[in-house]
Amino acid sequence: MLKKPLGQLKQVDLRDVWLSESCDFTPYRQIQLKFWTEFRQHMESKGSFIKCQKPLPQSWTNYTLGRSGVHLASVVSIWNSLTGKKGPEIRAELYLDGPKAKQEFAILEKQKQTIEAKLGLNLTWHNQDNTDSCRLYTRQDADFTNEALWPEQFEWLRTRLEKMHQVFTPLVKDLKQSSLE
């Protein structure tokens, strides 16, 4: 018996299937997806060197820095990290995770003044106990559910992410070397 060849198989991105079959997002998730979709368009229209991932209905989106365990992220949250209460904010952050995160955070923390001077920003240095992750971030109270405010919020995130990328990329490479020694 002769079998017919299958022909070429088409590669499918499972996130596309999930997004197309999951139309019952909460209004909050719909806003997140729309925010990240339009933020990605903003970054592309400004010619940013930061490459955005495919938008998803979640509170964050990540950007690579060239090695695992360390990345940049932007966050839209209904929880205010400053007050510890409900209240919308946006953040740009460096996120470290994995078994060396605490060690690498300590190395960066020794350079805190230099890092913040290069960024022109004061950062929140968050090193929570009982986790394998740490983060350094800048934040702003911002109602990201109000689409009229998005252009200003997009620009705020873009400028901080680009500056953080420029400052942290060489430091991250040095961290990798330090952890190999």
Side-chain angles (χ1 to χ4, degrees):
M1 175 189 299
L2 293 173
K3 293 185 180 181
K4 290 184 180 180
L6 290 176
Q8 286 190 307
L9 296 176
K10 181 180 177 187
Q11 186 174 5
V12 175
D13 186 337
L14 294 179
R15 292 180 297 184
D16 288 333
V17 173
W18 176 72
L19 286 173
S20 66
E21 293 178 359
S22 299
C23 298
D24 59 347
F25 295 135
T26 65
Y28 179 61
R29 293 284 183 222
Q30 291 172 10
I31 286 277
Q32 291 171 330
L33 180 59
K34 189 172 182 186
F35 184 93
W36 295 129
T37 300
E38 292 189 24
F39 179 64
R40 183 181 190 184
Q41 292 167 353
H42 176 81
M43 295 290 276
E44 290 170 355
S45 74
K46 293 291 184 178
S48 180
F49 57 87
I50 304 278
K51 300 298 175 215
C52 296
Q53 68 180 32
K54 182 177 185 141
L56 294 171
Q58 59 192 23
S59 62
W60 75 95
T61 190
N62 296 330
Y63 316 93
T64 64
L65 281 178
R67 63 162 277 221
S68 62
V70 183
H71 63 267
L72 293 178
S74 48
V75 178
V76 293
S77 178
I78 56 172
W79 185 257
N80 188 306
S81 62
L82 183 63
T83 65
K85 296 179 181 176
K86 189 174 181 180
E89 73 175 10
I90 57 176
R91 292 193 309 265
E93 62 185 37
L94 178 76
Y95 188 85
L96 301 102
D97 67 345
K100 296 195 181 276
K102 301 290 185 180
Q103 174 189 351
E104 293 175 341
F105 182 89
I107 293 167
L108 289 173
E109 198 168 30
K110 289 178 184 173
Q111 303 171 62
K112 179 178 178 175
Q113 288 182 328
T114 303
I115 290 169
E116 290 181 346
K118 285 181 180 178
L119 288 170
L121 301 166
N122 290 326
L123 298 174
T124 299
W125 296 70
H126 186 75
N127 184 0
Q128 188 173 344
D129 294 335
N130 303 320
T131 69
D132 284 341
S133 64
C134 305
R135 63 187 78 214
L136 296 72
Y137 63 86
T138 182
R139 59 160 307 281
Q140 170 179 285
D141 290 339
D143 184 4
F144 63 89
T145 64
N146 181 346
E147 292 183 36
L149 302 175
W150 285 3
E152 179 184 314
Q153 294 169 5
F154 292 164
E155 195 58 17
W156 187 92
L157 284 168
R158 182 187 69 81
T159 58
R160 278 144 187 85
L161 288 168
E162 287 178 352
K163 190 68 173 168
M164 292 173 86
H165 191 283
Q166 291 168 339
V167 170
F168 284 116
T169 297
L171 294 173
V172 164
K173 288 180 183 173
D174 289 345
L175 285 176
K176 188 170 185 176
Q177 288 296 45
S178 297
S179 21
L180 294 174
E181 294 172 357

